[in-house]
Amino acid sequence: MVSVKTKFIFVTGGVVSSLGKGLAAASIGALLEGRGLKVTLLKMDPYINVDPGTMSPYQHGEVFVTDDGTETDLDLGHYERYVSTPMGRKNNFTTGQVYETVIAKERQGDYLGGTVQVIPHITDEIKRRIHAAAEGYDIAICEIGGTVGDIEGLPFLEAARQLGREWGREHVLYVHVTLVPYIAAGGELKTKPTQHSVRELTGIGIQPDILLCRTDRLLDQRLKAKIAHFCNVEENAVITAKDVEWIYEVPLVFHQEGLDERIVEKLHIWTGAPNLKKWERIIHVLKHPKGSVRIAVVGKYMDLRESYKSLLEALVHGGIANETRVELDGIEAEKIEEEGAERLLHKADGILVPGGFGDRGSEGKIAAVRYARENRIPFLGICLGMQMAVVEFARNVCGLTGANSYEFDQSSPHPVIHLMADQKGVEKKGGTMRLGAYPCILQEDSLGLKLYGKKKLSERHRHRYELNNHYRELFSSHGMRLTGLSPDGGLVETIELKDHPWFIGCQFHPEFKSRPMDCHPLYKGFVKAASQNRMTLREVPRIKAART
């Protein structure tokens, strides 16, 4: 059982989804950590899937992977980017996991023949998981997914209500994120959606202590007083959660509104003022860059940027590290198949091909790799992006006609990317890939070693396929360097090209370990190389390379 010294903050949302509960929770964590407190965060997802691993990016966005190999909600990426606490299996659970555990206990006879019900059995399991995630921390920030009023979220809200009663209100705080829309026709902000949302929450038995009001402009004191009156909260507990240009500005806006001061007051915590210098520096660099660089990201889910959330943020981190504004061109791989790489990529200072699954758009990604290789444009291939670089090299440099990934063409005469040995015979889809942190050893005189500054790495993976070792010697003889290997030498983790200024493919996902104040070495190096490429092009226009 968690010590009573742990304080709980429950973050809920109302009116509409996508109000930014995850960013709000992460920003609260950043403020409290800045005050010297030991903070952890927890995301509770009401959907019945066991985890998001098998869900479409169009429905759920990115799947974030932790060191321990857990496929989680993308909000855990926000958590790790805002606080120093590493996330893991305990920091995200779903309705599916809760019911799976309770049903397993019932089958084992743990309930002694009793009727298994939502209350107390489901809510008790939710509380048990909250306690497990919070153990050893000063503050546990618990985000409940979905919107208040959703039927699937009721057990989580009931568990949160019970904890407030069991632990006492000096140990439990409720923060509700809601919407105050601006109606242009009337020229005013409307508080009624917030009033209705709070009424819905109080009907469940939870009276919010603090309201975070999402809006595109600052709330004046008159509006705050009105919201406080109708929602039964103190005026200084009505916080403007104003839209900002950069998400890393949110902790600073919350601090200016006095959010962290309200929290420590209500939870009876005595701390000094938060140290926010690192966040202030980040915003200064983002708003006053010394240059700019254009990066083309060639993917298959570009219509929904949340599908590549960590990757796009890592590019922003690369800009911060180089004091450069990164201008992103999201390009659908299928459009390259239709219109050609030259037309869509000729303005790019750097080209990145991210991970993904399925063959849709694969030929467009291969064409993007070829364009980067032949025109000597800095290139970074992530997971599937590395695999497409291998296929492109096999076809167009090594002359292996029909080379492909076994994932896309099982009849290929040259399956240069094939199924990992331990994946053969695996039929279940969820949680069965190569997941989590694995070691990698970098080779001497490699660009990767220069960027990392160390030989042994630990990086997070999420894949089933790998470079086919049968082709290693052939690739090496044609100028591909296999620069990163697993400790036993059996798996190729990174590749580079000898006669290219900056070309790296990696089987892992470096974006999962990038932070705004500590950019991942590969993204830092990639943005720097793209910036240098832009400067070079200003002096000497690019001359198209001979096709090979």
Side-chain angles (χ1 to χ4, degrees):
M1 185 66 70
V2 70
S3 168
V4 74
K5 292 181 180 179
T6 301
K7 308 283 188 177
F8 295 90
I9 300 173
F10 287 96
V11 179
T12 57
V15 185
V16 295
S17 60
S18 301
L19 279 180
K21 295 190 303 298
L23 279 173
S27 297
I28 291 171
L31 289 172
L32 297 179
E33 188 173 80
R35 285 176 172 262
L37 298 171
K38 190 177 181 182
V39 177
T40 192
L41 295 102
L42 167 65
K43 175 67 182 292
M44 293 171 275
D45 279 307
Y47 52 74
I48 299 175
N49 303 66
V50 172
D51 59 45
T54 59
M55 297 171 70
S56 167
Y58 285 120
Q59 288 196 18
H60 193 73
E62 168 191 85
V63 175
F64 187 79
V65 178
T66 57
D67 272 350
D68 64 6
T70 307
E71 293 176 295
T72 74
D73 184 82
L74 63 81
D75 279 338
L76 270 75
H78 290 315
Y79 300 166
E80 286 204 347
R81 287 187 283 272
Y82 281 70
V83 302
S84 60
T85 304
M87 299 294 117
R89 194 171 305 278
K90 292 181 179 180
N91 298 94
N92 186 205
F93 65 87
T94 68
T95 293
Q97 292 173 13
V98 171
Y99 273 83
E100 187 178 54
T101 299
V102 170
I103 291 171
K105 288 182 178 179
E106 186 274 333
R107 294 287 84 187
Q108 294 167 6
D110 288 13
Y111 301 119
L112 300 176
T115 301
V116 180
Q117 297 176 292
V118 172
I119 302 173
H121 301 98
I122 296 299
T123 52
D124 281 353
E125 176 61 20
I126 292 171
K127 289 190 292 183
R128 183 192 69 79
R129 288 172 177 264
I130 292 172
H131 292 154
E135 189 171 4
Y137 292 91
D138 299 320
I139 300 286
I141 303 169
C142 308
E143 177 194 348
I144 299 176
T147 306
V148 169
D150 296 344
I151 190 170
E152 60 264 33
L154 290 175
F156 295 94
L157 293 168
E158 171 60 18
R161 183 197 69 79
Q162 291 178 20
L163 280 174
R165 178 179 56 81
E166 293 171 8
W167 288 107
R169 294 309 304 275
E170 70 274 18
H171 292 290
V172 177
L173 185 77
Y174 300 107
V175 176
H176 190 51
V177 185
T178 187
L179 180 67
V180 180
Y182 178 76
I183 306 301
E188 60 180 340
L189 291 162
K190 291 295 185 180
T191 66
K192 195 64 71 177
T194 292
Q195 295 177 43
H196 283 300
S197 180
V198 171
R199 186 178 304 163
E200 186 84 28
L201 187 60
T202 55
I204 296 168
I206 296 175
Q207 169 61 51
D209 299 288
I210 295 174
L211 297 179
L212 299 182
C213 300
R214 281 302 307 274
T215 175
D216 64 351
R217 62 203 68 206
L218 290 172
L219 301 179
D220 61 33
Q221 203 57 42
R222 179 187 61 84
L223 273 176
K224 287 187 175 183
K226 181 180 180 181
I227 292 170
H229 177 73
F230 282 102
C231 297
N232 196 30
V233 299
E234 299 168 3
E235 283 189 34
N236 65 6
V238 179
I239 305 295
T240 302
K242 182 181 176 295
D243 295 347
V244 292
E245 182 182 4
W246 300 101
I247 62 173
Y248 302 116
E249 196 173 356
V250 176
L252 299 176
V253 171
F254 281 174
H255 177 64
Q256 291 166 3
E257 284 281 299
L259 174 60
D260 51 310
E261 191 65 31
R262 300 291 84 74
I263 290 174
V264 296
E265 284 177 0
K266 290 177 178 295
L267 289 177
H268 304 286
I269 302 171
W270 304 104
T271 72
N275 182 352
L276 301 177
K277 289 183 179 179
K278 62 182 181 181
W279 296 103
E280 292 169 352
R281 179 195 168 273
I282 287 169
I283 296 305
H284 176 78
V285 172
L286 287 171
K287 292 189 174 183
H288 303 93
K290 295 180 179 178
S292 64
V293 64
R294 183 178 294 274
I295 302 294
V297 179
V298 181
K300 59 186 291 186
Y301 311 113
M302 297 313 303
D303 288 342
L304 182 64
R305 295 297 181 94
E306 295 289 276
S307 300
Y308 300 110
K309 188 61 181 175
S310 291
L311 184 145
L312 298 181
E313 288 304 316
L315 287 171
V316 173
H317 304 163
I320 295 170
N322 289 282
E323 299 187 11
T324 297
R325 180 182 290 267
V326 175
E327 300 168 355
L328 293 172
D329 281 343
I331 299 174
E332 288 288 341
E334 288 177 292
K335 286 190 176 181
I336 291 181
E337 294 175 357
E338 297 168 1
E339 302 178 27
E342 172 72 31
R343 179 175 179 181
L344 296 174
L345 298 175
H346 70 277
K347 293 182 180 180
D349 302 310
I351 296 172
L352 189 154
V353 177
F357 298 89
D359 64 349
R360 182 173 64 83
S362 61
E363 293 300 323
K365 293 179 181 181
I366 291 169
V369 175
R370 183 171 188 172
Y371 185 84
R373 178 179 61 80
E374 291 181 343
N375 290 280
R376 299 175 63 78
I377 301 171
F379 171 82
L380 179 59
I382 307 295
C383 198
L384 180 64
M386 169 187 147
Q387 296 173 6
M388 295 299 90
V390 170
V391 172
E392 191 279 328
F393 191 84
R395 291 179 182 178
N396 301 314
V397 178
C398 300
L400 300 180
T401 303
N404 212 330
S405 168
Y406 184 78
E407 179 184 5
F408 306 150
D409 183 5
Q410 297 184 10
S411 63
S412 169
H414 299 290
V416 292
I417 301 296
H418 68 167
L419 191 65
M420 299 180 69
D422 59 5
Q423 290 291 311
K424 295 176 180 177
V426 174
E427 296 183 359
K428 290 186 177 181
K429 299 296 183 185
T432 56
M433 289 182 279
R434 190 182 191 220
L435 293 166
Y438 286 88
C440 169
I441 308 298
L442 294 176
Q443 305 302 300
E444 296 290 350
D445 300 322
S446 64
L447 176 57
L449 181 60
K450 179 180 178 181
L451 294 171
Y452 278 95
K454 58 182 180 181
K455 290 188 65 174
K456 187 171 182 180
L457 316 175
S458 176
E459 295 284 4
R460 298 177 187 179
H461 293 247
R462 185 173 184 253
H463 62 100
R464 298 183 190 278
Y465 294 84
E466 63 173 343
L467 186 148
N468 189 336
N469 288 333
H470 176 74
Y471 295 90
R472 278 197 191 188
E473 187 175 338
L474 178 65
F475 290 158
S476 296
S477 67
H478 281 77
M480 177 181 285
R481 298 192 64 198
L482 312 180
T483 53
L485 304 174
S486 58
D488 64 1
L491 301 175
V492 175
E493 303 282 23
T494 66
I495 63 168
E496 300 174 16
L497 297 185
K498 286 182 179 179
D499 299 321
H500 194 284
W502 209 101
F503 191 107
I504 294 180
C506 56
Q507 188 60 77
F508 45 80
H509 290 266
E511 61 270 19
F512 291 152
K513 301 187 77 170
S514 187
R515 307 290 178 261
M517 62 290 296
D518 185 20
C519 179
H520 190 283
L522 291 186
Y523 284 94
K524 181 179 179 180
F526 176 57
V527 172
K528 181 178 181 180
S531 298
Q532 292 171 341
N533 182 43
R534 167 169 280 203
M535 294 301 296
T536 300
L537 290 178
R538 288 176 180 172
E539 299 170 4
V540 181
R542 180 181 298 136
I543 299 174
K544 185 171 177 61
R547 297 178 69 86
T548 54

